Amino acid sequence: MTQITRRAGLGAMAALLAAPNLARAQTPTIRIVVPFGPGGSTDAVARLVSPGLQQRLGANVVVENRSGAAGSIGADLVAKARPDGQTWLLTFDSHSTIPALLRNPPFDVLKDLDPVMLIGGSPYAVATRPDKPFQTMADVVAAAKARPDGVSYGSTGNGTIGHLSMIRLGEKAGARMTHVPYRSGGLAVNDAVAGHVDMMIGSAALMLPHITGGSLRPLLQFGPQRLSRLSETQTAAEAGFPGMEAEAWWAVFAPHGTPAEMVNRMNAALKETLSEERARTVMTETQQARLVLSTPAECGTFFRGQVETWGALVRAANIQPD
């Protein structure tokens, strides 16, 4: 009798120990694919929302970085994933230029991915290392005119709105600069801080921590008015380049055919997460970003306009992928 009782006790203990493992095995895992390397603003947004999504969706949320080819490698992974609500894309503005940038895109950005939410945006800014000889953008233009292609700038990749904005600025100023594309904002910032490029263009969200910390000096911002944390830095219009507003943006997409109820549930979870005080403060104050938190339909309308607007510039400038 004692032996039977002992066996029963051991069996019950084993069941108790196994229960948490069984629960974990049954908890679904959701992948948030970021088509850029770690350290950039897109990666930061994905990691900011992950805890809130995990709580609201009742799933393990994993951020997966898949960089390369202007974000098309990671986006293609999502486009070809099963539309079962387990895989999502959180991407950047270069997503809109893929059709014009790549000769034979592996997927159709408008047909193979369904819009979920336009999270928001942040004006682009140009900054340089403090010991570089540039105090304003006028200094950069003068140096570039004196030494065509002798002034370099980094960006988060070919075909990003930041890259396209610098092309437009160079054309308006009559100055040629050398573009150095990177696979992520983190890599671009690191090289700008190290002085390997003369300056870089990135979203204010990406640049502000380095500007505030003193490792970069701002030269120009592309918003309609000065950001509160860049109050001493000229806008493009103030610097003599009217009509040069440019904003980085982040959006979420799902594999085409993902059921509407899943898309709406993710949209709601994102909205609730980014409406929390901490997340909203990080986005709007720390990173000076503009939150939109759109509906799926609004995201689709916005994205189609971006594909048309920036795709035309990519084709006109004959920009090639990284």
Side-chain angles (χ1 to χ4, degrees), residues 199-284:
M199 57 186 171
M200 75 160 288
I201 183 166
S203 68
L206 171 66
M207 310 278 268
L208 272 170
H210 304 276
I211 292 171
T212 303
S215 58
L216 289 175
R217 178 173 63 234
L219 298 172
L220 191 73
Q221 54 185 310
F222 284 88
Q225 59 269 330
R226 298 186 186 190
L227 295 175
S228 61
R229 294 185 63 193
L230 290 176
S231 59
E232 301 301 313
T233 305
Q234 287 185 319
T235 65
E238 290 170 337
F241 303 100
M244 286 285 295
E245 293 178 16
E247 186 177 61
W249 52 261
W250 310 277
V252 176
F253 294 83
H256 177 63
T258 299
E261 59 268 25
M262 291 182 179
V263 169
N264 291 334
R265 187 172 179 233
M266 174 59 84
N267 181 281
L270 283 165
K271 187 171 185 177
E272 290 175 10
T273 296
L274 286 163
S275 295
E276 287 184 335
E277 183 177 357
R278 175 185 171 275
R280 177 174 286 276
T281 299
V282 169
M283 292 294 291
T284 61

Side-chain angles (χ1 to χ4, degrees), residues 186-202:
L187 293 174
V189 165
N190 288 343
D191 267 15
V193 169
H196 299 319
V197 289
D198 291 315
M199 57 186 171
M200 75 160 288
I201 183 166

